[in-house]
C-alpha cells in the first residue's frame, strides 16, 4: 500500500491539478467529510472517557509533578542521586572482619566463604598444582637413569607443569602439547613419557615431520637414515598420483599392511620389516638387553589394547600417528622406564636389520608393488 | 450545482462500494494522530470540559465545540496527505465523464 501512495506534498499540488478543478473541489469535500467523521469519532471517545472517569487519568496533580521533576544539577543524576555514593562506603566482612569497599564486597565474600564458582576452580587448581609438585619430587630418582640421553629434568618438569595447568580431562591436551614440543612429549595423561625421537638423531630435522597428516613426503629427498626413521613411524606407502609417501599413522586405513611392507622392502632392503609385526623386535645393532623383546612385545600388546573407539575416529589416527607415543602412554601402567626403553628399542630397532623376524614371502610383494606402479 | 452534487454522490458511492472510503478513513486517522492533530484536539477538549464542569458534559456540547476546530486544523494537514493510486483511479475518470 505504501508503494502505491504518492505524497501530495511531493507533488506540490501540481498533480492535483491533473484533475480538473471540479475534481479538486470534490476531492477536498470528500476529505472534509472524512475529517468530520474523524472528529465525531474522537468526540465520542472523549465523552465516554469523561463519563467513565478515565479522561484525566494521565494527568497527575501538581504536587507529584514537582516531586518527580527531572533534576539537572551538576553532580547529580536526573533522579537526584549522587553518583559514586556507594563506592566510598565500606563494609565489614562478617567472616574475616576486614573492612572492604562496598563494590568489592561481593567478590570478596565469595572467596572468603569459599562458595561460588570461581573459588572452587581456584581451589581445584591449587590442589592439582600441589599434587604435581609432590609427584615430581618423588620421581626424581627414577628419572635420573632415563634422562641421560634426552631430557633434562628441568625440561620434563616444565612439561609436567604445563600439563598440570590444563584440564586433565580435556581431549585437546594431547594435541596442543604435541604441537608445542614438536613430537617429543607424549600426552594424554598426567604422565610424561617423552618420545625418544630426538634420541635417534635422525628425526631432528623436523621438516618432513609436520604433524598434520594431509601432506605427503617425496622420498627422493630423504636420506636412508631419514627414510628408515620415517618408515618406523608413518605408513609410508607411496601414492600413485603424487609419488609421495603417506604420512598417516602405521595403521592408516587407506593402505594395507602389504603395501607398507612392500614399501619398506623397497627402501630398506629385503630384510626390512613392518614395525607392526608383533614378533620379537630385538635387534642387533644396539646394545640392548634381552628384556627389550619382552618390553617391545608388551608395548605392542598395549597398542592392541587400544579401545575400539580409538580406532574408529579420525582423531585417533592422529593419536596413533605417533603411535609409538600413545602406545607408550597406554602402557604406562608398566613402569615408565620400561615403556621408555621400549620406545628406544622399537624406534631405533626398526632402522636396523632384524634377523629373527619371520619374513613375509618376498616374491609376491614386489609383484604387488609392480602392480601399484 | 446539481451536477456537482450528482458527481459528489456518484463518487461517494463509488468510494463506498470499493471499500476505498473506509481505507481512506483509517489512513486519515493514522495520519492525523501522527501529525499531532489529535493531541491538539484533546487539549482543546480538556479546556472545554474544565469550563463546562466534568459532570455536565454532553456529547452535543463536545461535538459543537470541537468539530469546527478540528476541521480547521485538519485542513492545514491536507498538503501532507497522500492520494493512493486507487483513489486517483476513482477520482480521475469521473469528472471528465460527468463534465465532458
Amino acid at each position: 500500500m505504501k508503494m502505491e501512495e504518492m505524497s501530495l506534498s511531493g507533488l506540490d499540488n501540481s498533480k492535483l491539478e491533473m484533475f480538473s478543478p471540479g475534481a479538486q473541489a470534490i476531492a477536498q469535500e470528500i476529505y472534509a467529510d472524512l475529517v468530520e467523521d474523524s472528529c465525531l469519532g474522537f468526540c465520542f471517545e472523549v465523552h465516554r472517557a469523561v463519563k467513565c472517569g478515565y479522561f484525566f487519568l494521565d494527568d497527575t496533580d501538581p504536587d507529584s509533578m514537582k516531586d518527580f521533576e527531572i533534576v539537572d544539577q551538576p553532580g547529580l543524576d536526573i533522579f537526584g542521586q549522587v553518583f559514586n555514593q556507594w563506592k566510598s562506603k565500606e563494609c565489614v566482612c562478617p567472616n574475616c572482619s576486614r573492612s572492604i569497599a562496598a563494590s568489592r564486597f561481593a567478590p570478596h565474600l565469595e572467596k572468603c566463604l569459599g562458595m561460588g564458582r570461581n573459588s572452587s576452580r581456584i581451589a581445584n587448581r591449587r590442589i592439582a598444582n600441589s599434587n604435581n609438585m609432590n609427584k615430581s619430587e618423588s620421581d626424581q630418582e627414577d628419572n635420573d637413569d632415563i634422562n641421560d640421553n634426552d631430557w633434562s629434568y628441568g625440561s620434563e618438569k616444565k612439561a609436567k607443569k604445563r600439563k598440570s595447568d590444563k584440564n586433565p580431562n580435556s581431549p585437546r591436551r594431547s594435541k596442543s602439547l604435541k604441537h608445542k614440543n614438536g613430537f617429543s612429549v607424549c600426552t594424554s595423561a598426567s604422565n610424561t613419557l617423552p618420545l625418544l625421537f630426538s634420541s635417534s638423531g635422525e628425526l631432528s630435522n623436523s621438516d618432513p615431520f609436520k604433524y598434520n597428516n594431509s601432506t605427503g613426503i617425496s622420498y627422493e629427498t630423504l636420506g636412508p637414515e631419514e627414510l628408515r626413521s620415517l618408515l618406523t613411524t608413518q605408513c609410508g606407502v607411496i601414492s600413485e598420483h603424487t609419488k609421495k609417501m603417506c604420512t598417516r599413522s602405521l595403521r592408516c586405513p587407506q593402505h594395507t599392511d602389504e603395501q607398507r611392507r612392500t614399501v619398506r622392502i623397497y627402501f630398506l632392503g629385503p630384510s626390512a620389516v613392518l614395525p607392526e609385526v608383533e614378533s620379537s623386535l630385538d635387534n642387533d645393532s644396539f646394545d640392548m638387553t634381552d628384556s627389550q623383546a619382552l618390553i617391545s612385545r608388551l608395548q605392542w600388546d598395549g597398542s592392541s589394547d587400544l579401545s575400539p573407539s580409538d580406532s574408529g575416529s579420525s582423531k585417533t589416527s592422529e593419536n596413533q600417528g605417533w603411535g609409538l607415543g600413545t602406545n607408550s602412554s597406554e602402557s604406562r601402567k608398566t613402569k615408565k622406564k620400561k615403556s621408555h626403553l621400549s620406545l628406544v628399542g622399537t624406534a631405533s630397532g626398526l632402522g636396523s636389520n632384524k634377523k629373527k623376524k619371520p619374513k613375509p614371502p618376498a616374491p609376491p610383494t614386489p609383484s604387488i608393488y609392480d602392480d601399484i606402479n | 450545482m446539481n451536477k456537482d452534487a450528482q458527481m459528489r454522490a456518484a463518487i461517494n458511492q463509488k468510494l463506498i462500494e470499493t471499500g476505498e472510503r473506509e481505507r481512506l478513513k483509517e489512513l486519515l486517522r493514522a495520519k492525523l494522530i501522527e501529525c499531532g492533530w489529535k493531541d491538539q484536539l484533546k487539549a482543546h477538549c480538556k479546556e472545554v470540559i474544565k469550563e463546562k464542569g466534568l459532570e455536565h458534559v454532553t456529547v452535543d456540547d463536545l461535538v459543537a465545540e470541537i468539530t469546527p476546530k478540528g476541521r480547521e486544523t485538519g485542513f492545514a494537514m491536507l498538503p501532507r496527505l497522500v492520494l493512493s493510486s486507487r483513489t486517483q483511479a476513482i477520482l480521475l475518470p469521473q469528472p471528465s465523464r460527468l463534465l465532458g
Side-chain angles (χ1 to χ4, degrees):
Chain A
M1 189 167 121
K2 275 195 182 157
M3 298 210 284
E4 294 173 350
E5 290 167 351
M6 289 188 309
S7 139
L8 261 187
S9 55
L11 299 175
D12 288 327
N13 273 345
S14 54
K15 263 207 177 159
L16 195 59
E17 277 138 20
M18 200 169 74
F19 303 106
S20 64
Q24 281 181 41
I26 290 175
Q28 293 205 347
E29 280 181 24
I30 290 174
Y31 175 70
D33 282 342
L34 289 176
V35 169
E36 225 178 291
D37 277 351
S38 303
C39 281
L40 202 61
F42 182 69
C43 285
F44 288 148
E45 282 173 27
V46 168
H47 183 258
R48 182 183 163 79
V50 166
K51 290 305 175 185
C52 293
Y54 61 83
F55 185 64
F56 283 115
L57 271 184
D58 48 358
D59 296 336
T60 32
D61 56 314
D63 291 334
S64 320
M65 290 287 272
K66 263 215 187 126
D67 282 344
F68 296 116
E69 224 172 311
I70 291 178
V71 176
D72 196 14
Q73 299 165 24
L76 300 178
D77 64 4
I78 62 172
F79 298 117
Q81 296 166 356
V82 186
F83 176 63
N84 260 348
Q85 196 180 13
W86 309 111
K87 255 196 191 174
S88 52
K89 299 224 164 148
E90 295 205 333
C91 340
V92 178
C93 171
N95 210 23
C96 57
S97 311
R98 293 202 302 188
S99 104
I100 312 280
S103 48
R104 298 298 312 162
F105 185 55
H108 162 81
L109 203 58
E110 224 184 3
K111 301 226 168 58
C112 198
L113 291 174
M115 304 199 294
R117 274 195 287 171
N118 237 358
S119 30
S120 68
R121 248 182 257 156
I122 295 176
N124 281 340
R125 213 190 303 158
R126 247 185 262 145
I127 290 175
N129 276 343
S130 65
N131 267 350
N132 266 341
M133 300 305 257
N134 291 341
K135 258 198 210 167
S136 57
E137 284 161 12
S138 64
D139 287 347
Q140 192 164 5
E141 298 86 35
D142 283 344
N143 285 337
D144 275 348
D145 297 335
I146 308 173
N147 287 333
D148 285 341
N149 282 341
D150 323 311
W151 287 84
S152 68
Y153 178 60
S155 61
E156 197 175 82
K157 199 168 90 163
K158 248 191 268 172
K160 270 194 193 171
K161 185 160 199 301
R162 233 177 287 148
K163 281 172 56 172
S164 71
D165 280 348
K166 300 184 188 173
N167 178 8
N169 297 330
S170 120
R172 285 193 67 78
R173 281 182 87 221
S174 52
K175 274 193 200 167
S176 53
L177 267 178
K178 278 177 191 168
H179 271 292
K180 268 192 202 169
N181 301 334
F183 19 89
S184 35
V185 177
C186 167
T187 64
S188 83
S190 51
N191 225 350
T192 50
L193 286 179
L195 288 182
L196 296 183
F197 292 126
S198 52
S199 72
S200 49
E202 299 128 358
L203 304 183
S204 46
N205 23 337
S206 38
D207 288 336
F209 283 89
K210 282 302 169 202
Y211 188 60
N212 62 355
N213 293 331
S214 56
T215 60
I217 297 177
S218 67
Y219 50 89
E220 290 112 359
T221 57
L222 298 177
E225 294 298 314
E226 291 172 0
L227 261 184
R228 244 179 261 146
S229 42
L230 252 181
L231 285 175
T232 58
T233 55
Q234 295 173 358
C235 170
V237 173
I238 299 179
S239 150
E240 286 177 48
H241 319 286
T242 66
K243 303 294 178 212
K244 289 194 176 174
M245 298 169 69
C246 172
T247 52
R248 300 182 86 184
S249 81
L250 286 166
R251 290 168 180 268
C252 113
Q254 280 177 354
H255 303 114
T256 65
D257 283 350
E258 285 293 320
Q259 290 174 306
R260 285 189 268 271
R261 205 174 293 131
T262 314
V263 166
R264 277 160 183 77
I265 289 175
Y266 176 71
F267 281 120
L268 308 174
S271 52
V273 271
L274 278 179
E276 289 165 354
V277 184
E278 277 201 16
S279 56
S280 61
L281 295 176
D282 45 8
N283 67 82
D284 311 328
S285 53
F286 284 79
D287 294 333
M288 297 291 183
T289 63
D290 285 340
S291 61
Q292 283 306 302
L294 186 64
I295 291 165
S296 38
R297 219 180 277 133
L298 268 178
Q299 180 215 338
W300 291 112
D301 283 344
S303 78
S304 62
D305 284 342
L306 280 174
S307 64
S309 60
D310 282 349
S311 47
S313 63
S314 58
K315 251 193 207 173
T316 53
S317 72
E318 289 177 342
N319 281 341
Q320 293 172 352
W322 305 100
L324 295 174
T326 48
N327 287 341
S328 63
S329 75
E330 285 295 318
S331 55
R332 73 183 184 275
K333 290 165 193 146
T334 68
K335 288 189 193 154
K336 254 198 221 179
K337 226 190 242 182
K338 263 192 197 169
S339 24
H340 180 93
L341 287 174
S342 72
L343 282 170
V344 181
T346 48
S348 44
L350 292 169
S352 67
N353 294 335
K354 295 185 180 48
K355 289 186 183 165
K356 282 194 188 174
K357 291 214 59 127
K359 307 227 169 82
T365 46
S367 63
I368 293 176
Y369 192 65
D370 291 339
D371 290 343
I372 292 172
N373 273 344
Chain B
M1 204 54 193
N2 214 5
K3 267 191 185 168
D4 285 345
Q6 257 186 342
M7 217 170 1
R8 267 179 66 195
I11 289 178
N12 257 331
Q13 193 188 7
K14 252 282 156 71
L15 281 176
I16 294 177
E17 271 174 19
T18 58
E20 198 61 26
R21 191 164 195 268
E22 298 307 317
R23 212 176 59 81
L24 281 174
K25 215 202 281 194
E26 292 304 313
L27 204 56
L28 180 64
R29 233 175 249 160
K31 288 282 168 181
L32 289 175
I33 293 176
E34 246 179 61
C35 299
W37 174 84
K38 272 243 162 99
D39 299 327
Q40 274 182 352
L41 223 52
K42 200 171 190 187
H44 187 71
C45 280
K46 276 186 199 167
E47 291 169 22
V48 170
I49 291 171
K50 276 179 196 161
E51 272 178 49
K52 297 269 166 105
L54 194 59
E55 302 299 326
H56 306 294
V57 182
T58 62
V59 183
D60 301 325
D61 287 341
L62 274 179
V63 167
E65 297 280 335
I66 288 173
T67 312
K69 178 119 195 297
R71 228 187 301 160
E72 285 167 28
T73 47
F75 270 114
M77 308 288 178
L78 179 59
R80 297 192 211 128
L81 291 183
V82 296
L83 268 186
S84 79
S85 56
R86 265 190 278 173
T87 321
Q88 284 189 36
I90 293 175
L91 287 178
L92 263 176
Q94 298 290 340
S96 50
R97 193 159 46 105
L98 289 174
L99 287 178

